[in-house]
């Protein structure tokens, strides 16, 4: 009998061994590891290896997900990761690990898994939905994909009806995702959250919805956001969202103007009703405080403030009319509030020079009608009005009173400061004379703090180039003064506007605030550079104290500049 001998190749031997003991893909081969995802036994190890391979490649690429290294790992595995998640919903732990990796990859090809994760089940897959919402805030989507994702997130948000910790975490991530995507198809879902008043939804969630609606800036949301100006937490009327709702309306711009003017006139039934409910809620806690309120004053104040933040000239005459409420007699507390609200709003209007005199006259008339605390607040507002025509008034209020009983140092100091910030070198002589005649004491000592302003004013007088250089002065008071003077002498001047934009990142909060006010006045036709710079600061300084303290002002002015740029 003839014997046959067979030589086995190395490959054949490896194949036989694989059949005998099972063959694992190379731990550093992304395609091989992706192939093992279908095996329930090897899945966890494969996900871990893919996560390691991707994060190592991303680190070597300095975080650039489009670089060859991380892209190669994603190309080899994202489809299998996605299909594994979709086809094996029973494997919840590995599903969560897959989502963690997809969060790192931020790849639009994972969209089927991410939308699947949003279809969450109570007590089972809430964390999956949270992971999905987080990564969806990072992925670039086309219009069709945005529609699909917005619909999925809206359904997920509608499912959240309790007030557990995980419920609020889901709400937060879903709402943020809708705002980040920025698609107007999210408006109905966000509106439901905005207007919901329930024990199962913390009022901070309402505020977050208003913020995200501002990011989307859908004109269809204007009526709801105007209601939000007056809404309050049912169990805590001191918690409101007039600030974030107002900011959202400013971002929407001109479509908010006419509805707000109608609200100011008392023609918004929803706003009137909510204001009445607010007074009733305050009365349960503090009857005296509620007695100082009226439905009309609350509605007027919030509408006036929002109109001032919008800054359109069409608001001037209606706001001036509000400063005249109450006739010529003594003002009630309610009417005094309306006068003050409208006066402060007038300061922010993007006026033409032809408007200045009538606004000035309205401000001066209002000043004489309100009591001392409001007068001091109005002095600060008038300073930001940037009107040299107010200098005689400031000088008068800074001067010596007729009697010691009329002496109010704080009021005189504010008036002196306003004059010092606005005056040129010729006008500052009157302030020097006033200071020289002032007896020693609290007022004179406080005035001395502004000596650097007086000195720089003498140096630069009305020379715009000199004041532009002073914007970068190491003395914060001088830099603040320079902002006013650049605005006064550089309105509409590109060089002046660019110089102000260059100081938007100033590390001194007070300097930055004055630069923002100056830019709002100087950039009468808008400034794309300022708009972009404020966005940059929002990204760079998020979470830092200086941004949290200046964000509201910066965003309001950014929105006004955007409205002027677009007209």
């Amino acid at each position: 009998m003839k014997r046959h001998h067979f030589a086995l190749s190395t490959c054949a031997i490896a194949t036989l061994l694989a059949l005998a003991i099972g063959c694992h893909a190379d731990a550093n081969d992304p395609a091989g590891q992706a192939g093992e995802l279908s095996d329930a036994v090897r899945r966890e190890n494969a996900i871990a290896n893919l996560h390691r391979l991707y994060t190592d490649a991303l680190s070597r690429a300095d975080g650039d997900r489009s670089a060859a290294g991380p892209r190669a790992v994603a190309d080899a595995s994202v489809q299998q990761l996605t299909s594994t998640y979709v086809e094996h919903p029973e494997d919840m732990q590995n599903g969560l690990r897959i989502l963690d990796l997809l969060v790192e990859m931020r790849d639009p090809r994972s969209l089927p898994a991410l939308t699947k994760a949003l279809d969450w089940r109570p007590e089972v897959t809430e964390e999956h939905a949270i992971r999905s919402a987080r990564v969806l805030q990072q992925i670039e989507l086309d219009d069709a994909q945005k529609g699909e994702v917005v619909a999925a997130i809206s359904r997920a948000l509608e499912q959240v009806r309790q007030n557990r910790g995980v419920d609020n975490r889901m709400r937060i991530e879903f709402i943020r995702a809708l705002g980040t995507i920025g698609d107007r198809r999210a408006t109905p879902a966000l509106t439901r959250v905005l207007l919901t008043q329930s024990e199962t939804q913390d009022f901070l969630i309402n505020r977050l919805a208003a913020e995200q609606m501002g990011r989307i800036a859908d004109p269809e949301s204007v009526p709801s956001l105007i209601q939000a100006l007056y809404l309050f937490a049912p169990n805590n009327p001191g918690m409101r969202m007039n600030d974030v709702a107002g900011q959202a309306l400013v971002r929407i711009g001109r479509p908010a103007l006419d509805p707000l003017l109608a609200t100011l006139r008392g023609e918004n039934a929803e706003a009137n009703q909510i204001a009445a409910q607010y007074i009733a809620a305050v009365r349960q806690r503090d009857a005296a405080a509620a007695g100082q309120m009226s439905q009309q004053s609350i509605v007027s104040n919030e509408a006036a403030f929002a109109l001032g933040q919008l800054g359109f000239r069409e608001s001037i005459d209606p706001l001036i009319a509000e400063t005249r409420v109450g006739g010529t007699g003594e003002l009630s507390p309610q009417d005094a509030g309306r006068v003050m609200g409208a006066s402060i709003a007038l300061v922010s209007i993007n006026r033409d020079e032809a408007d200045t005199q009538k606004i000035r006259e309205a401000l001066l008339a209002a000043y004489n009608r309100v009591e001392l605390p409001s007068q001091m607040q109005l002095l600060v507002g008038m300073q930001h009005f940037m009107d040299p025509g107010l200098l005689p008034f400031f000088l008068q209020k800074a001067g010596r009173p007729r009697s010691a009983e009329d002496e109010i140092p704080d009021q005189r100091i504010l008036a002196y400061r306003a004059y010092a910030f606005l005056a040129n070198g010729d006008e500052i002589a009157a302030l020097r004379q006033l200071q020289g005649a002032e007896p020693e004491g609290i007022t004179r000592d406080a005035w001395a703090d502004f000596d650097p302003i007086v000195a720089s004013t003498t140096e630069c007088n009305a020379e715009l180039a000199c004041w532009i250089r002073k914007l970068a002065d190491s003395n914060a008071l001088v830099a603040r003064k320079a902002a006013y003077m650049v605005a006064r002498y550089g309105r509409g001047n590109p060089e002046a506007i660019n110089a102000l934009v260059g100081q938007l990142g100033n590390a001194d909060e007070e300097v930055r605030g004055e630069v923002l006010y100056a830019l709002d006045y100087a950039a009468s036709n808008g400034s794309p550079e300022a708009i972009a710079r404020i966005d940059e600061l929002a990204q760079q300084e998020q979470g830092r104290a200086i941004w949290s303290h200046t964000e509201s002002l910066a965003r309001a002015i950014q929105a006004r500049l955007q409205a002027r740029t677009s007209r």
Side-chain angles (χ1 to χ4, degrees):
M1 183 173 174
K2 197 170 181 181
R3 299 175 106 184
H4 297 277
H5 298 275
F6 299 94
L8 296 178
S9 68
T10 302
C11 183
I13 293 170
T15 301
L16 289 172
L17 287 173
L19 290 171
I21 63 173
C23 186
H24 291 269
D26 189 318
N28 294 315
D29 174 19
Q33 292 301 310
E36 294 198 340
L37 290 170
S38 59
D39 187 331
V41 175
R42 299 178 181 175
R43 187 174 298 145
E44 182 177 348
N45 187 63
I47 296 168
N49 282 331
L50 287 169
H51 201 287
R52 171 181 55 80
L53 291 170
Y54 186 79
T55 54
D56 286 351
L58 189 62
S59 178
R60 288 192 296 271
D62 294 326
D64 182 3
R65 287 175 173 79
S66 64
R71 193 70 194 171
V73 178
D75 288 343
S77 62
V78 71
Q79 297 288 10
Q80 289 91 332
L81 287 164
T82 299
S83 60
T84 300
Y85 183 87
V86 172
E87 294 167 8
H88 296 281
E90 76 287 348
D91 192 353
M92 291 178 293
Q93 291 304 314
N94 280 324
L96 201 58
R97 295 185 181 100
I98 288 173
L99 288 171
D100 283 334
L101 179 50
L102 295 179
V103 167
E104 292 290 341
M105 290 183 171
R106 305 180 191 178
D107 194 309
R109 291 173 292 184
S110 66
L111 206 55
L114 299 174
T115 53
K116 174 72 174 176
L118 289 169
D119 189 16
W120 60 278
R121 290 173 289 163
E123 309 289 348
V124 180
T125 57
E126 291 97 337
E127 295 297 336
H128 291 233
I130 290 170
R131 298 291 204 289
S132 173
R134 285 176 180 165
V135 69
L136 286 168
Q137 297 175 49
Q138 306 291 334
I139 293 178
E140 293 285 340
L141 303 171
D142 62 31
D143 188 66
Q145 291 170 328
K146 285 181 180 179
E148 177 186 354
V149 168
V150 165
I153 297 174
S154 298
R155 289 192 298 270
L157 185 57
E158 181 69 18
Q159 280 185 257
V160 187
R161 298 189 180 95
Q162 299 184 60
N163 199 23
R164 303 170 299 162
V166 72
D167 290 310
N168 286 325
R169 288 171 56 218
M170 283 193 291
R171 284 187 177 104
I172 289 169
E173 296 300 339
F174 296 161
I175 292 168
R176 284 178 175 166
L178 290 173
T180 301
I181 292 167
D183 191 281
R184 292 182 178 181
R185 286 168 284 194
T187 296
L190 290 172
T191 299
R192 284 194 295 272
V193 176
L194 177 79
L195 300 180
T196 293
Q197 292 193 288
S198 167
E199 294 180 357
T200 62
Q201 179 177 295
D202 192 289
F203 195 71
L204 292 173
I205 301 297
N206 299 65
R207 288 178 55 86
L208 180 61
E211 291 174 1
Q212 303 310 309
M213 291 171 78
R215 296 182 70 177
I216 295 171
D218 182 359
E220 294 296 322
S221 65
V222 166
S224 299
L225 287 167
I226 291 178
Q227 288 187 53
L229 290 173
Y230 304 95
L231 286 173
F232 56 95
N235 58 352
N236 180 13
M239 180 178 287
R240 302 177 63 194
M241 56 175 163
N242 48 346
D243 54 343
V244 290
Q247 290 171 26
L249 288 165
V250 171
R251 290 177 72 94
I252 292 169
R254 185 163 289 277
L257 176 62
D258 287 341
L260 279 169
L261 288 172
T263 303
L264 184 72
R265 294 192 297 267
E267 298 169 3
N268 187 320
E270 291 84 1
N272 295 339
Q273 181 180 12
I274 298 169
Q277 293 168 349
Y278 175 68
I279 295 171
V282 171
R283 185 175 292 111
Q284 292 181 352
R285 290 166 169 76
D286 189 339
Q292 302 294 306
M293 302 176 180
S294 72
Q295 173 187 302
Q296 195 172 23
S297 66
I298 291 171
V299 171
S300 171
N301 283 348
E302 296 301 341
F305 180 79
L307 286 166
Q309 293 297 290
L310 279 173
F312 293 115
R313 292 182 63 243
E314 292 90 333
S315 301
I316 292 175
D317 289 339
L319 288 171
I320 288 176
E322 281 294 295
T323 69
R324 296 170 177 164
V325 298
T328 57
E330 183 177 350
L331 284 173
S332 67
Q334 296 87 348
D335 285 343
R338 291 175 65 184
V339 170
M340 274 301 296
S343 299
I344 296 300
L346 280 168
V347 169
S348 301
I349 298 297
N350 179 36
R351 68 187 188 274
D352 289 345
E353 287 309 314
D355 303 319
T356 299
Q357 182 175 346
K358 66 178 179 180
I359 296 177
R360 180 196 308 140
E361 291 171 353
L363 293 174
L364 293 173
Y367 182 93
N368 291 324
R369 301 183 70 203
V370 297
E371 296 184 353
L372 179 62
S374 295
Q375 287 181 338
M376 296 176 70
Q377 182 184 356
L378 196 49
L379 275 172
V380 176
M382 289 175 172
Q383 176 182 314
H384 290 139
F385 188 53
M386 308 224 177
D387 173 24
L390 284 169
L391 287 173
F393 167 76
F394 291 141
L395 192 65
Q396 176 195 357
K397 294 301 174 184
R400 293 286 297 167
R402 293 180 179 178
S403 64
E405 292 77 14
D406 295 330
E407 171 78 13
I408 306 172
D410 287 347
Q411 187 179 33
R412 296 183 65 205
I413 292 165
L414 285 175
Y416 185 99
R417 183 184 72 175
Y419 190 102
F421 272 127
L422 289 171
N424 62 28
D426 297 328
E427 295 154 348
I428 208 72
L431 209 60
R432 287 183 180 277
Q433 183 178 359
L434 189 68
Q435 185 178 18
E438 182 70 19
E440 291 185 1
I442 295 174
T443 302
R444 182 168 179 171
D445 290 345
W447 285 357
D449 291 339
F450 301 107
D451 284 351
I453 294 179
V454 176
S456 64
T457 305
T458 303
E459 176 188 351
C460 290
N461 196 2
E463 185 187 341
L464 177 60
C466 181
W467 286 118
I468 287 175
R469 291 193 298 272
K470 293 290 186 184
L471 282 172
D473 198 280
S474 59
N475 186 309
L477 271 174
V478 174
R480 292 169 63 193
K481 164 68 174 180
Y484 283 90
M485 302 309 282
V486 170
R488 177 175 175 178
Y489 292 109
R491 193 176 199 202
N493 182 309
E495 182 182 1
I497 293 168
N498 288 336
L500 290 167
V501 172
Q503 289 299 315
L504 282 173
N506 195 295
D508 186 287
E509 289 181 18
E510 290 187 305
V511 173
R512 186 181 296 193
E514 305 294 12
V515 167
L516 283 163
Y517 282 117
L519 189 59
D520 188 28
Y521 178 75
S524 53
N525 292 315
S527 170
E529 295 79 11
I531 293 165
R533 180 59 177 142
I534 291 171
D535 279 335
E536 288 176 8
L537 290 170
Q539 293 180 353
Q540 295 167 1
E541 298 180 344
Q542 194 65 45
R544 292 174 54 189
I546 190 167
W547 179 247
S548 64
H549 295 165
T550 58
E551 178 182 11
S552 178
L553 176 62
R555 286 304 194 187
I557 288 174
Q558 182 190 42
R560 291 203 289 270
L561 294 175
Q562 179 67 62
R564 297 174 207 163
T565 303
S566 303
R567 67 186 180 188

